[in-house]
Amino acid sequence: MDKVGIGLLGYGTVGSGVGTLLARNADDITLATGKQVYLRRVLERSPDFTAPGLDPALVTARFEDILEDPGIDIVVELIGGVGAARDFQLRALKAGKNVVTANKQLLAQHGAELFDAAESTNVHLRFEASAVGAVPVIKVLRESLVAAEVKTVFGIVNGTTNYMLSAMAETGADYDDVLAEAQRLGYAEADPTEDVGGKDAAAKMAILSSIAFHSRTGLDDVEYEGITKVTAADIAQGTRLGLVAKLLGVAKLIDGRMNVRVYPAFLPRAHPLAGVSGAYNAVFLESDAFDRIMLFGPGAGSVPTASAVIGDIISVVNTVKGSFVQNCLCYKDVPAFPDADMVSSFYLRLRVKDEPGVLAGIAALFGEHDVSIASLVQEGRGDAAELVLLLHPVREAQFFAALDQIKALPAVQGDPAVIRVEGDA
Ligand SMILES: NC(=O)c1ccc[n+]([C@@H]2O[C@H](COP(=O)([O-])OP(=O)(O)OC[C@H]3O[C@@H](n4cnc5c(N)ncnc54)[C@H](OP(=O)(O)O)[C@@H]3O)[C@@H](O)[C@H]2O)c1
């Protein structure tokens, strides 16, 4: 029987999951592929690296032992980062080896170069686990829905922030306390910047929009904002208004142009994404062809992510070289749709002095910019008064122009809290 050797780069959280699944499911993989797919070499920093269940004889610290081994058909890159990982992937692809990876930042920052390398030697570069972990969204977009003209990809693509926002809503705790708890429970990394700042979600949205709209989207094309400014006070106000806070990735194709962003947003409690809590992820796909599809599941974790990696390995083994769907399908060049022209609804919380004429001044400025108010609640008195407004959908440029003038009013204190509202509030 044919054998397919795997060269695994990195035996950490996901890499060890791949090792475990390859061993545990060897018989099923053989049945699914007709080939014996086996772990042939593992790259770690030290040749003395050990891990439970890993044969120490497979470990090397020299990438060349993998690159130059003719028995290795597929290189699985799971070291992460954009330095050595980029070098190893490029060298493997140029040497004619298929590559499977979960590295979202590398693909979002250097995708074009990597896909060119894959094309030059006619090998696969597969990356299902790079966006939304175990959930097979990339395969669905690039194969099942390749000609369905997907117009919107919209969802919760970061489990850490989803866990934190869920915990803030459930406990009333503030951001810092919830972050500390998430770190203690292993839902947030020691350095949580990429997750809480939105960069992790932005990289995933760059990958998803590239596949959905067939047009190269890099991390630099995605405007992103994380959850660091979301306060317990805003979440509590949202709860009173029937709204749930989520960090959303939103990619839209509008009149032949695309807009891809990540921002915290309120969703009506009845929206299907509002019920996605804890470390789970979910992605909505919208198209005139099928209306809506929602994909839901674990976005991270050792074995869940590894199962997506194994799925890619099986796809490589089962797909004839040179087939149309082997790589990234970015065969269009869709121009950007500017943020300023996007139409959004907003939640706005302002601290104001409770004095005559304040409301009229704010309403007049909104009126001048054609921003219409859906609801307004005033709370407190004196210097501690707060206004909570929900605004009807409006061109973002108009809203922010009005907001700049409102912030300059003498009666308005501090920085207002602004959160977009998605769905039919
Ligand atoms: N964890 C998840 O749930 C998850 C989900 C989706 C996608 N991903 C992606 O999967 C990839 C791997 O993530 P992970 O969580 O498994 O990371 P990890 O636990 O840190 O594992 C990476 C492993 O690779 C080793 N390594 C790093 N640089 C190396 C180098 N230059 N040469 C040899 N070995 C090296 C590390 O060794 P040291 O510890 O000595 O540095 C570590 O054992 C990342 O791209 C990540 O974004 C992860």
Side-chain angles (χ1 to χ4, degrees), residues 9 77-91 93 99-115 125-127 130 194 199-200 203-204 206-207 216-219:
L9 315 185
E77 184 275 299
L78 294 170
I79 63 175
V82 294
R86 172 171 167 240
D87 176 51
F88 294 162
Q89 283 199 27
L90 282 172
R91 286 164 69 193
L93 292 166
V99 169
V100 171
T101 183
N103 194 331
K104 66 212 89 150
Q105 291 300 343
L106 183 62
L107 286 172
Q109 293 175 46
H110 299 284
E113 184 186 23
L114 294 164
F115 286 110
L125 171 56
R126 291 223 164 222
F127 47 96
S130 67
E194 283 198 5
K199 186 175 173 186
D200 175 86
K204 291 170 183 166
I207 292 168
R216 171 86 47 226
T217 317
L219 184 66

Side-chain angles (χ1 to χ4, degrees), residues 10-15 43-45 78-80 84 102-104 129 299-301 305:
Y11 207 81
T13 305
V14 184
L43 180 82
E44 267 291 336
R45 288 187 202 274
L78 294 170
I79 63 175
N103 194 331
K104 66 212 89 150
T305 310

Side-chain angles (χ1 to χ4, degrees), residues 155-239:
I156 297 164
V157 297
N158 180 273
T160 304
T161 49
N162 201 46
Y163 168 83
M164 288 176 63
L165 291 173
S166 301
M168 284 169 82
E170 277 161 26
T171 64
D174 223 325
Y175 173 85
D176 290 333
D177 296 334
V178 167
L179 175 58
E181 181 68 357
Q183 285 171 319
R184 198 182 63 77
L185 294 172
Y187 290 127
E189 308 218 353
D191 177 2
T193 321
E194 283 198 5
D195 289 318
V196 298
K199 186 175 173 186
D200 175 86
K204 291 170 183 166
M205 291 311 297
I207 292 168
L208 293 180
S209 63
S210 296
I211 306 305
F213 306 146
H214 310 297
S215 180
R216 171 86 47 226
T217 317
L219 184 66
D220 289 346
D221 302 313
V222 185
E223 182 87 18
Y224 61 90
E225 179 192 335
I227 63 161
T228 51
K229 289 191 216 143
V230 178
T231 64
D234 290 316
I235 291 193
Q237 287 289 0
T239 304

Side-chain angles (χ1 to χ4, degrees), residues 27-201:
D27 291 347
D28 281 347
I29 293 171
T30 301
L31 287 171
T33 60
K35 302 211 162 67
Q36 191 189 339
V37 180
Y38 71 106
L39 195 57
R40 188 170 164 99
R41 219 67 214 262
V42 171
L43 180 82
E44 267 291 336
R45 288 187 202 274
S46 159
D48 302 325
F49 177 89
T50 55
L54 173 65
D55 177 356
L58 300 187
V59 178
T60 178
R62 286 183 71 248
F63 175 63
E64 291 70 22
D65 288 342
I66 287 173
L67 188 70
E68 291 160 10
D69 182 345
I72 289 180
D73 307 282
I74 303 175
V75 171
V76 177
E77 184 275 299
L78 294 170
I79 63 175
V82 294
R86 172 171 167 240
D87 176 51
F88 294 162
Q89 283 199 27
L90 282 172
R91 286 164 69 193
L93 292 166
K94 286 177 185 164
K97 294 197 189 292
N98 301 287
V99 169
V100 171
T101 183
N103 194 331
K104 66 212 89 150
Q105 291 300 343
L106 183 62
L107 286 172
Q109 293 175 46
H110 299 284
E113 184 186 23
L114 294 164
F115 286 110
D116 282 352
E119 214 163 292
S120 73
T121 51
N122 209 11
V123 292
H124 288 254
L125 171 56
R126 291 223 164 222
F127 47 96
E128 182 65 67
S130 67
V132 209
V135 184
V137 58
I138 289 173
K139 199 159 197 161
V140 166
L141 280 172
R142 67 192 261 169
E143 296 180 23
S144 314
L145 305 178
V146 68
E149 283 193 285
V150 173
K151 297 263 173 57
T152 307
V153 180
F154 166 62
I156 297 164
V157 297
N158 180 273
T160 304
T161 49
N162 201 46
Y163 168 83
M164 288 176 63
L165 291 173
S166 301
M168 284 169 82
E170 277 161 26
T171 64
D174 223 325
Y175 173 85
D176 290 333
D177 296 334
V178 167
L179 175 58
E181 181 68 357
Q183 285 171 319
R184 198 182 63 77
L185 294 172
Y187 290 127
E189 308 218 353
D191 177 2
T193 321
E194 283 198 5
D195 289 318
V196 298
K199 186 175 173 186
D200 175 86

